[in-house]
Each structure stands twice: as C-alpha cells, then as structure tokens.
Amino acid sequence: KNEVEQSPQNLTAQEGEFITINCSYSVGISALHWLQQHPGGGIVSLFMLSSGKKKHGRLIATINIQEKHSSLHITASHPRDSAVYICAVSPNFGNEKLTFGTGTRLTIIP
Amino acid sequence: ETGVTQSPTHLIKTRGQQVTLRCSSQSGHNTVSWYQQALGQGPQFIFQYYREEENGRGNFPPRFSGLQFPNYSSELNVNALELDDSALYLCASSLDRGNSPLHFGNGTRLTVT
C-alpha cells in the first residue's frame, strides 16, 4: 500500500462544477503539499499546509491531521484547470524525502 | 526574480553512458531537491542539498549523485545509465530546508535507449 493515496485517479467534469480531490496518507507528517502539473511537465506548488484550511482564488485546501486526510476543492471549474493534481507529504521538518501520490488527472469540458 | 530553470529540456542517451542535468535555483533559495518521475507515476525523491551539503536521500543507488555550488545551482549526475532511468527529472528549490513552499523547474526529459 502506498504511503500517499489519491482519489479519484481520473476525473472529468463540466465547466462550472465544484471539484473535490482527496488525499489520504499513512505516515506522520509535518506538512502536506498540493501541486499542479500541466502536460508539459512543469509543476506549480498550489498549497503547503500543516493544519486547517487555506484558500487561494477558486482553490481551497483542507487537512485533517487526526484522520490523515486532505482535500483540494476547485470552485467554478474552468477548462484551464485541466491538469494533474498531486498530493505530497513531508514526513519531517525540512521537505526532505517528500512522498508523492500518483496524481489525479482532471479534465474540465467546456 | 528569476524562477527555477533546468537544462537541457530533453536528452537522449544510450545505456551505459553518463549524464549531467543542471538546475538553477530561484534567487535567494539555498535548498534544492531532485525528483525522478516515470511516465504515469508521481515523482520520487532522489536527494536534497542544503548549502552545498547533501541533506537527505531517497532509495536511489550511488550511481545517482549530485552537487550544489556556492551560488546554489545544482547538478544531478547519473552514471551507467539503464533503460529504467528514462523519466522526467525535476528539481525544486526552496527558501530554506524548513517547511517552505517548493518552486519547481519544468524538468529534463531523459530517454535512455
């Protein structure tokens, strides 16, 4: 079993829909990262969080440390949100040995 | 403020050869991490450098080695290339080795034939 599990693996939705991507992990962590990867390969860091909730524009990330679970929400989804979303956890202070999920491929249809 | 740049963008090598990939960190960042991403998989941590010293290593053999220079740019060297080394290699810099946001380059796609 992977230390970081994401669901769903693939998600297709209509423009405007509310999107939720889930991440569960089995190890103790000091921080969790949500990343966005476009087809060219480049990765953009969306959030880094260790507790509670963060919001940036239409994106919201939450984490429940006790349940070892995090969610990434996208409100009013748009075709430009189509990408692979990756959850990664840092087991200790310092980002070394980040462990990544395999990603959720999101496709937003106009 | 310049972002993280990686070179080359694409590279084709033959099994058994050696390769050097380069990463220029974002200005002011003293920590760089390298990752290998096979097709359809999430990235795998290779190692991290902080102020020119290795600061953590993943499950990669010694033929994967690295360097960080005084200007905090970095190299990843892979010796005796194997077919399974074909992947996207990503580097990410951060402000410090504490929990700070990662800034990724666009990666180098290595193909080993």
Side-chain angles (χ1 to χ4, degrees):
Chain A
K1 187 178 188 298
N2 292 333
E3 291 180 337
V4 181
E5 299 275 356
Q6 287 186 237
S7 63
Q9 287 187 306
N10 293 283
L11 179 57
T12 300
Q14 293 288 333
E15 182 174 356
E17 285 190 37
F18 181 80
I19 303 299
T20 295
I21 298 170
N22 296 299
C23 175
S24 296
Y25 53 92
S26 57
V27 296
I29 69 168
S30 64
L32 182 143
H33 300 254
W34 279 104
L35 311 167
Q36 179 192 56
Q37 185 170 33
H38 282 281
I43 292 179
V44 174
S45 177
L46 300 175
F47 295 103
M48 183 185 71
L49 65 166
S50 54
S51 65
K53 175 179 172 179
K54 287 191 176 181
K55 184 176 189 290
H56 181 70
R58 295 180 295 105
L59 301 179
I60 303 166
T62 64
I63 188 168
N64 184 318
I65 295 294
Q66 287 73 29
E67 296 186 4
K68 291 187 165 61
H69 182 269
S70 175
S71 293
L72 176 69
H73 306 286
I74 305 175
T75 61
S77 59
H78 190 276
R80 65 175 174 265
D81 297 326
S82 298
V84 175
Y85 292 84
I86 302 172
C87 166
V89 300
S90 177
N92 48 33
F93 185 76
N95 280 340
E96 62 262 34
K97 298 190 179 181
L98 270 184
T99 302
F100 295 76
T102 54
T104 294
R105 183 173 300 277
L106 174 65
T107 305
I108 303 297
I109 300 170
Chain B
E1 179 182 275
T2 57
V4 178
T5 57
Q6 291 187 243
S7 62
T9 54
H10 294 82
L11 198 53
I12 299 175
K13 288 285 191 178
T14 303
R15 190 171 50 184
Q17 286 187 314
Q18 178 266 343
V19 69
T20 297
L21 310 181
R22 294 180 174 83
C23 173
S24 178
S25 301
Q26 183 152 325
S27 177
H29 288 191
N30 59 22
T31 304
V32 65
S33 302
W34 284 92
Y35 305 91
Q36 180 195 66
Q37 187 178 25
L39 203 60
Q41 302 295 316
Q44 299 282 323
F45 172 77
I46 303 175
F47 43 58
Q48 183 187 75
Y49 278 82
Y50 168 71
R51 294 183 182 271
E52 303 177 59
E53 297 286 331
E54 189 178 286
N55 186 51
R57 188 178 180 92
N59 294 325
F60 281 82
R63 59 189 185 84
F64 285 78
S65 63
L67 277 175
Q68 189 181 29
F69 299 100
N71 67 355
Y72 302 135
S73 65
S74 176
E75 286 182 354
L76 164 65
N77 298 288
V78 187
N79 294 322
L81 284 166
E82 301 177 1
L83 297 178
D84 285 349
D85 296 334
S86 296
L88 179 69
Y89 289 85
L90 294 155
C91 79
S93 71
S94 54
L95 191 59
D96 207 340
R97 62 178 174 173
N99 277 340
S100 52
L102 298 168
H103 297 256
F104 284 83
N106 287 328
T108 293
R109 187 162 298 281
L110 173 65
T111 302
V112 182
T113 63

